Amino acid sequence: SDHIDISCSSEYPAIAYDGIQVNAGLLLFTKNQQFMLTTDSDVLSPQTAKINAVSTYNFNYKTNPISMGTTVAFLDNAGKYTRFFEISNTLREGQPEVIEQSKVVSKLFPKDITLIANSRENSVIFFTIKDTDTIYGYRYFNAGTERAQQSWFKWKISGKIQHIAMLDDSLFAVTRDDEKDVLQKFSIKLEDSSHFITDSIDYRIHLDNAKIFASSTLTYNSSGNYTHFPIGDGFNSKTGQLAAFIITAGDDQGITENATTFTEDGVLSVKLSGDWTSDVAFDLVLGYLFEMEVKFPTIYFQQQMGDRFRSDIHSNLVLHRAKFSLGPSGVYETTLSRLGKPDYTQLYESTTADQYIPNKVGFDPEQKVTIPIYERNTN
């Protein structure tokens, strides 16, 4: 078939590795520059094509540029760490606006990112390096033409990541463990949990890669005093995070227990201590327990100036206490780190003694706690 050969060049070698369509034309990416391919004619040909240089940012050619709806983003791999840039106002004439959105995590975003998954509908982007177990995420929220909120986070998953992709409201990751590839699904939005709700009992245990197993598959071994059921490939208990959750009879919130895997008659199975067959009212949920950790930065006194907030970094500010208002929660810890002093760790139990059934899941629908500080903010 016919094809058109068009070259772009500048003071740097300009080999086009990727491109993405924008309203002004085709935005081309080379290792060191970005170009705009347009035409003033109705027919695109070597005689009518125009290529203009629009910016000079390094581009990680092992990845691809992504569309964030009305803007374009790409990764820069030139320095010690990866930089995440966002381009807006890409017009045919004039310079676009380029913002480094990874500035707040400049030393936490690793080099040599190889895989990107993007969901414009959920305003979230995922990054990872092949053959690692960590996924980095960037979540943002636009209010009109302004970026009202943005945040960075990271997930650590089981297995070595081979590929990631977004489909609808879920992130799919192909992970490799013990030479076996497993497809894992991470729901970005809260899915319909009606199959977890029975007799007004709500599912309160959050598990990664949660999968439902019918209660009829459970078998009790009286000699070893354990309950087991087959699961097939896809789960492992090497990390100690594999757990099973069962909603029991009555009005309590169920029971959860760590699970171990073993092979029985050539079939991978899960072992739970004790007899679970008599306590099961509904199906069992198997998945990975995970830790959630939030680290707060230095707190400054702020004043609103127009639509922005300005932090006073020069005044002497002493923090007396921090108050947290949480939604439904279980047991959690807070750690106060102070310069020159030992860490102060407080354990908060959502339910008190004699207020819930022993060995069952306890949670508080709403909880407010106060953490004493009495330190300078810079400490």
Side-chain angles (χ1 to χ4, degrees), residues 31-96:
K31 280 186 178 182
N32 304 294
Q33 283 185 279
Q34 290 74 48
F35 297 86
M36 181 69 71
L37 171 62
T38 61
T39 180
D40 294 330
S41 175
D42 295 335
V43 179
L44 178 64
S45 68
Q47 289 75 30
T48 61
K50 295 172 57 179
I51 296 182
N52 300 321
V54 295
S55 57
T56 55
Y57 288 89
N58 288 282
F59 169 63
N60 183 359
Y61 64 92
K62 294 183 179 180
T63 62
N64 55 283
I66 57 174
S67 173
M68 298 175 64
T70 58
T71 60
V72 173
F74 66 96
L75 295 180
D76 180 349
N77 205 43
K80 185 177 180 180
Y81 302 97
T82 293
R83 295 181 177 91
F84 179 63
F85 287 101
E86 184 177 359
I87 304 179
S88 59
N89 295 331
T90 50
L91 305 176
R92 300 178 101 188
E93 303 294 338
Q95 301 296 326

Side-chain angles (χ1 to χ4, degrees), residues 208-278:
D208 268 346
N209 304 322
K211 185 177 180 181
I212 301 175
F213 291 87
S215 57
S216 58
T217 61
L218 274 63
T219 304
Y220 175 63
N221 187 311
S222 57
S223 60
N225 190 25
Y226 64 86
T227 303
H228 62 97
F229 58 97
I231 59 172
D233 293 334
F235 290 98
N236 70 76
S237 57
K238 293 181 179 179
T239 61
Q241 295 173 284
L242 191 63
F245 171 79
I246 291 181
I247 296 178
T248 55
D251 58 355
D252 59 81
Q253 294 295 322
I255 183 172
T256 181
E257 182 171 324
N258 291 336
T260 58
T261 56
F262 71 104
T263 302
E264 185 178 48
D265 298 331
V267 179
L268 186 64
S269 301
V270 159
K271 180 188 295 186
L272 304 171
S273 60
D275 183 8
W276 287 50
T277 57
S278 60

Side-chain angles (χ1 to χ4, degrees), residues 276-292:
W276 287 50
T277 57
S278 60
D279 203 20
V280 175
F282 313 106
D283 294 336
L284 177 145
V285 182
L286 184 69
Y288 295 99
L289 286 171
F290 60 89
E291 292 184 358
M292 179 180 177

Side-chain angles (χ1 to χ4, degrees), residues 169-220:
D169 292 330
S170 299
L171 172 69
F172 291 86
V174 178
T175 62
R176 180 169 297 169
D177 187 52
D178 288 338
E179 303 302 324
K180 293 181 180 179
D181 290 348
V182 178
L183 181 63
Q184 300 186 10
K185 176 184 177 182
F186 303 90
S187 298
I188 306 305
K189 282 190 174 181
L190 183 62
E191 293 185 338
D192 178 20
S193 58
S194 58
H195 54 283
F196 290 127
I197 303 175
T198 307
D199 297 335
S200 300
I201 300 177
D202 199 356
Y203 172 71
R204 290 291 176 182
I205 299 296
H206 298 275
L207 303 174
D208 268 346
N209 304 322
K211 185 177 180 181
I212 301 175
F213 291 87
S215 57
S216 58
T217 61
L218 274 63
T219 304
Y220 175 63

Side-chain angles (χ1 to χ4, degrees), residues 68-71 86 101 120 122-123 138-150:
M68 298 175 64
T70 58
T71 60
E86 184 177 359
Q101 300 292 8
R120 293 181 295 273
N122 294 293
S123 301
Y138 173 67
R139 189 70 182 265
Y140 58 95
F141 173 72
N142 292 333
T145 59
E146 295 185 358
R147 181 67 47 84
Q149 189 175 17
Q150 59 184 357

Side-chain angles (χ1 to χ4, degrees), residues 316-341:
N316 184 3
L317 177 64
V318 176
L319 301 176
H320 284 207
R321 62 191 67 87
K323 296 183 179 181
F324 294 95
S325 179
L326 306 177
S329 58
V331 180
Y332 60 94
E333 281 186 346
T334 60
T335 300
L336 176 64
S337 298
R338 299 164 294 179
L339 184 64
K341 297 181 180 180

